[in-house]
Amino acid sequence: MRLLSDIEWKFKYSPEDGSLLKTFYLPALARAVRYDRSTGYFKASALAAAAKGVEGLIRNKGQMRLIVGCTLDKPEANAIAQGHSLRDAVAARLLDTPLSADDSKTIQALELLAWMVAKDHLDIKVAVPCNSARKPVTSYAIFHEKAGIIMDAAGDRIAFNGSVNESESGWTGNFDSFHVFTSWGPSADHVDAEETSFNRLWADQAKTAIVIDVPTAVRDELLKFLPEDDRLPARLEVREPVKPWETDPSADSAEEPPQPASDETPPPSLPPSDLRKAVWAYIHAAPALPNGGERIGEATCPITPWPHQVRAFHRMYDDWPPRLLIADEVGLGKTIQAGMILRQAWLAGRAGRILVLAPKAVLTQWQIELREKFNLNWPIYDGKKLSWYPSRGLEGNAVRVADRDRWHAESCVLASSHLMRRRDRARDLLETAEPWDLIILDEAHHARRRGGGAGASDHRPNQLLRLMQGLRNRTKGLILLTATPMQVSPVEVWDLLNLFGLPMEWHAEAFVRFFEYAAQPMPGHAEMDAMAAQFRSIESAFGEVSEAEARNTMPGMRKLKVRKILR
């Protein structure tokens, strides 16, 4: 899937640079999973003109949220004052100019608009200007907001703000310009500000505009244009050749590729057998290719991950081998994140030996999730045999007896963390088994010291923590999954993080002391000096710490104190 960060967006766009539709709108929409737009004026022709980009939005299972302005005349305002509802007044105003289509182009535009609304790809609300008492005002004031925020599957965003309306003439005819900001550069604050502004409008929390859902009567009028027999709108059925600017806005859209003369010799073609080999060789190698290969695992499995899951995947995969604690809360899909990294690493050849350790109660769930969502049929080892998920391809060979000194020769295997932490079983992993490329430990909080922390006197590791302390040097990658890394004391978090290797300045006592200092809004000079020393050790080992990262570890401390510690 193409991402917004693939493109070097300009700071300002105007017709002087070429078609706004081709240089900005189409490439941006084709990469979108969400498009939020506020505009004073909207026409369905805008979506029809950008059908290629809209097709990409729909293919990405994306959604557009649109806020469009509606200005009331005096009769509607008087009707509201006399007790009529704002929704009825807005409906009357919008229906005052009936939807009509006198030509095929307009029909196709309204058909596409109706289809997107009916299929939940488009949600529309109406903004009516109001005074400080949140009473609608008449035509001397108009809703003139013209901004948009586009987000891709990786969670990156771009925002634009300027004079362009959401109409075909706005994108193709008028001399309109706008500025563009990205969430991954120095203009990230601008993107956050635009998103906050839009969300306030959408939630009807703005001070100068009332935002309501599209009245039912208006929606019903629009849905009359819905295509019959549940077919696609005509604008999405058109299959035109892909132009250079649809994938790369820097390409010159005015230049068409040269067409061979009729008497030219056609280029040589491969025999069918060689072509088949070439295609399959490319498919086999694709996951290991740069600039897109890292998403092959996701693209070839039957799931559509949420943006936060994609970001977690990149944290794990882009800096290989991963050594991370994933502590998302229950329900946010840690298993999905793990499945994404397992499938991609396996396809790309980065991980040939993989061990997943999980409590016995959830092992079958892990196997089912990997099989059904990632097409990975990996066996469970129960101490005596290896058991695969039953399928036709195995034809009765779904279970195989496995000796204790051979089960871990299986390239990818699921095993019970309760079983493997036993002394005799731990010895199999630590002394007999070959090293692993990647180990995943689910419910990692079970690996803890016996006393648990918080002043307990027994600081010895329990059996599972002792096993992981031994395995950390017998694997390239290590991923710990838990929604509750701290049960009693921050030292339990340290026990887990220390499996990845912490600088010596971050020993257990210093770790706990750091968070005691971080909880103080106004720590003294001695505390700040100690924290600064710990940050220096982190930067020496892992690179510079940003102010935002520092604030995440000291959320209760004033910003000026955080900055002073970093300086």
Side-chain angles (χ1 to χ4, degrees), residues 43-63:
K43 291 198 73 174
S45 58
L47 295 180
K52 279 291 183 183
V54 170
E55 183 181 3
L57 174 74
I58 293 169
R59 189 186 303 113
N60 298 340
K61 299 182 180 179
Q63 186 181 42

Side-chain angles (χ1 to χ4, degrees), residues 21 25-26 29 35 42-55 58 64 103-114 116 122 166-169 171-172 233-238 240 245-246:
L21 191 71
Y25 199 41
L26 280 179
L29 276 190
Y35 176 31
F42 169 77
K43 291 198 73 174
S45 58
L47 295 180
K52 279 291 183 183
V54 170
E55 183 181 3
I58 293 169
M64 178 178 177
D103 58 88
S104 61
K105 186 176 180 180
T106 307
I107 291 174
Q108 289 182 6
L110 290 171
E111 184 184 66
L112 174 60
L113 182 65
M116 289 182 68
L122 173 63
E166 194 74 9
S167 65
E168 183 176 15
S169 61
W171 285 110
T172 63
R235 287 298 298 160
L236 297 184
E237 287 183 334
V238 175
E240 300 171 353
W245 42 261
E246 290 173 358

Side-chain angles (χ1 to χ4, degrees), residues 2-233:
R2 292 170 291 172
L3 301 177
L4 292 170
S5 58
D6 295 338
I7 296 175
E8 188 173 343
W9 301 98
K10 298 180 181 179
F11 177 67
K12 181 177 180 179
Y13 286 80
S14 79
E16 293 290 296
D17 306 310
S19 164
L20 299 179
L21 191 71
K22 298 177 180 180
T23 58
F24 175 79
Y25 199 41
L26 280 179
L29 276 190
R31 291 161 168 79
V33 297
R34 193 185 72 206
Y35 176 31
D36 292 338
R37 180 72 158 110
S38 55
T39 178
Y41 183 67
F42 169 77
K43 291 198 73 174
S45 58
L47 295 180
K52 279 291 183 183
V54 170
E55 183 181 3
L57 174 74
I58 293 169
R59 189 186 303 113
N60 298 340
K61 299 182 180 179
Q63 186 181 42
M64 178 178 177
R65 296 189 298 175
L66 174 67
I67 300 175
V68 60
C70 176
T71 302
L72 300 180
D73 285 338
K74 217 163 192 176
E76 287 106 14
N78 290 338
I80 293 171
Q82 294 171 10
H84 291 259
S85 73
L86 173 61
R87 190 177 301 277
D88 291 341
V90 168
R93 178 64 173 165
L94 296 178
L95 292 173
D96 187 47
T97 305
L99 293 173
S100 60
D102 301 324
D103 58 88
S104 61
K105 186 176 180 180
T106 307
I107 291 174
Q108 289 182 6
L110 290 171
E111 184 184 66
L112 174 60
L113 182 65
W115 186 87
M116 289 182 68
V117 169
K119 298 297 183 180
D120 293 326
H121 288 294
L122 173 63
D123 197 0
I124 307 175
K125 293 191 177 185
V126 180
V128 179
C130 67
N131 58 24
S132 58
R134 287 185 62 79
K135 299 294 183 183
V137 295
T138 53
S139 57
Y140 70 82
I142 61 175
F143 180 81
H144 208 245
E145 174 84 356
K146 298 173 185 176
I149 308 100
I150 297 173
M151 185 178 76
D152 66 15
D156 287 327
R157 296 159 294 151
I158 59 173
F160 62 95
N161 195 320
S163 59
V164 63
N165 272 310
E166 194 74 9
S167 65
E168 183 176 15
S169 61
W171 285 110
T172 63
N174 299 342
F175 192 98
D176 287 314
S177 64
F178 53 88
H179 292 91
V180 174
F181 313 98
T182 66
S183 64
W184 59 88
S187 59
D189 288 344
H190 291 277
V191 180
D192 292 339
E194 291 292 354
E195 189 167 48
T196 299
S197 175
F198 182 90
N199 287 334
R200 285 183 61 82
L201 280 167
W202 191 261
D204 191 25
Q205 296 176 349
K207 296 179 180 179
T208 55
I210 300 171
V211 178
I212 63 173
D213 294 329
V214 169
T216 302
V218 178
R219 180 185 170 96
D220 291 344
E221 185 70 17
L222 172 63
L223 293 181
K224 291 179 182 178
F225 291 88
L226 195 63
E228 297 179 357
D229 302 325
D230 202 30
R231 66 173 176 80
L232 280 175

